[in-house]
Amino acid sequence: MGDIGRKIEDHMVGYLVTEGDQMDTRQILAELDKEIANLQSARALLAGSSASSLKTSKRRTMSAEARERIADAQRKRWVKAKKLTKFPGKK
């Protein structure tokens, strides 16, 4: 068993001694999963690869002309929708 294995064994022996009786296997596995998650996030931060929640996405920029074309098209849709909702003979 390597150095890490000995550390894990020492860590788990500490749990068993402090609890008095042996811990349930599910509890041990849950504790290991927490430790693994913590170590993975620490490794990701140290390695420079950020977690998915920390990633920044590159935003696209739109020209003023493109925004104006989109706005004009939307205004035309609003006018068309307004005409369709009017009833004949009403003012």
Side-chain angles (χ1 to χ4, degrees):
M1 195 181 306
D3 189 42
I4 294 175
R6 276 191 290 278
K7 286 182 181 181
I8 292 173
E9 187 176 293
D10 292 342
H11 191 66
M12 295 315 298
V13 168
Y15 276 112
L16 296 175
V17 170
T18 58
E19 292 293 323
D21 296 330
Q22 286 189 343
M23 289 180 67
D24 187 37
T25 305
R26 290 179 298 229
Q27 290 174 321
I28 294 170
L29 290 175
E31 290 292 323
L32 283 173
D33 288 342
K34 285 183 201 175
E35 282 296 318
I36 289 170
N38 288 338
L39 290 171
Q40 286 175 336
S41 64
R43 185 192 186 289
L45 289 173
L46 290 173
S49 64
S50 60
S52 61
S53 63
L54 299 176
K55 288 185 180 177
T56 57
S57 60
K58 202 172 193 180
R59 293 196 62 159
R60 294 184 184 187
T61 56
M62 198 181 308
S63 68
E65 294 170 359
R67 285 193 301 272
E68 190 60 33
R69 283 195 308 263
I70 291 171
D72 288 341
Q74 183 61 45
R75 285 186 205 104
K76 288 178 185 177
R77 286 191 290 272
W78 286 333
V79 168
K80 185 178 178 182
K82 193 172 181 180
K83 285 181 182 177
L84 292 175
T85 60
K86 287 187 177 179
F87 295 105
K90 281 204 163 192
K91 293 184 180 178

